[in-house]
Amino acid sequence: MHSAISAYKTQPDRIGLIDLSELSLGSTMKTEFPNPDDILNFNLTIEPDEGMYKGGCFSFSFAINQNFPHDPPKVKCKEKIYHPNIDLEGNVCLNILREDWKPVLNLNAVIVGLQFLFLEPNASDPLNKDAAEDLKNNREGFKRNVRASMAGGAVRGESFDRVLK
């Protein structure tokens, strides 16, 4: 990450856009910059250490456009997972990535929000309606489906990526 911070500091036209030194990543998260000279596109890996998704390894791509912080970052899950708030294409349903985004929010807010989705999936605002129905109507069945999908199994005929560490 050091090289990315250096790249940030050497790009005066982007001052104020993003301060990577402010990212407070816990032990369950890490960032990767595929191109160290491009701090606007990076990956975040979350490895939950509690909850139904414990033991999984989930990668998200972040794309930050030139209008940040006025526009939220574009965030996608890179694996196909069984989650009420992440659809099969990797789109993420997180209110601060849509209508509740405000320029005062930063990347830490997004990262905390993503982490929270793995601790407390939200069935009331779903992108994956099947997963949300399971969570609402049969929590134990939902937990079984999460485990099966994380192991690379199928749920309701849909195959998922293996994400277990």
Side-chain angles (χ1 to χ4, degrees):
M1 192 161 103
H2 178 67
S3 62
I5 291 173
S6 300
Y8 165 74
K9 291 182 175 161
T10 61
Q11 295 177 0
D13 57 320
R14 297 204 174 141
I15 296 291
L17 252 186
I18 175 175
D19 187 353
L20 297 174
S21 63
E22 287 182 0
L23 287 184
S24 56
L25 300 177
S27 60
T28 61
M29 296 177 280
K30 63 179 184 265
T31 55
E32 177 213 0
F33 292 82
N35 177 353
D37 295 327
D38 180 6
I39 62 160
L40 300 180
N41 293 284
F42 64 93
N43 299 320
L44 172 76
T45 301
I46 299 177
E47 298 179 355
D49 59 0
E50 57 184 307
M52 291 180 258
Y53 292 89
K54 180 179 179 175
C57 182
F58 307 94
S59 304
F60 293 86
S61 63
F62 277 65
I64 300 167
N65 75 26
Q66 299 297 328
N67 288 328
F68 185 88
H70 299 287
D71 293 345
K74 302 278 184 244
V75 178
K76 278 190 98 120
C77 184
K78 295 170 78 170
E79 294 84 22
K80 183 177 175 184
I81 66 171
Y82 176 80
H83 193 291
N85 310 110
I86 300 172
D87 69 16
L88 301 178
E89 287 76 47
N91 297 305
V92 178
C93 182
L94 187 61
N95 61 338
I96 62 169
L97 291 175
R98 300 181 331 228
E99 71 276 359
D100 290 342
W101 177 260
K102 294 175 178 50
V104 296
L105 292 173
N106 60 20
L107 291 176
N108 275 333
V110 175
I111 290 169
V112 167
L114 289 174
Q115 196 173 29
F116 190 71
L117 286 182
F118 287 108
L119 293 175
E120 292 293 331
N122 180 358
S124 62
D125 189 17
L127 279 181
N128 181 332
K129 294 189 184 353
D130 289 339
E133 285 302 310
D134 289 344
L135 178 58
K136 272 195 270 199
N137 301 324
N138 182 359
R139 194 167 178 88
E140 286 308 309
F142 176 79
K143 285 181 186 178
R144 281 192 303 276
N145 287 344
V146 167
R147 296 314 296 173
S149 66
M150 285 174 55
V155 176
R156 296 184 183 194
E158 191 73 51
S159 295
F160 292 88
D161 292 338
R162 180 178 169 81
V163 294
L164 291 175
K165 292 190 282 184

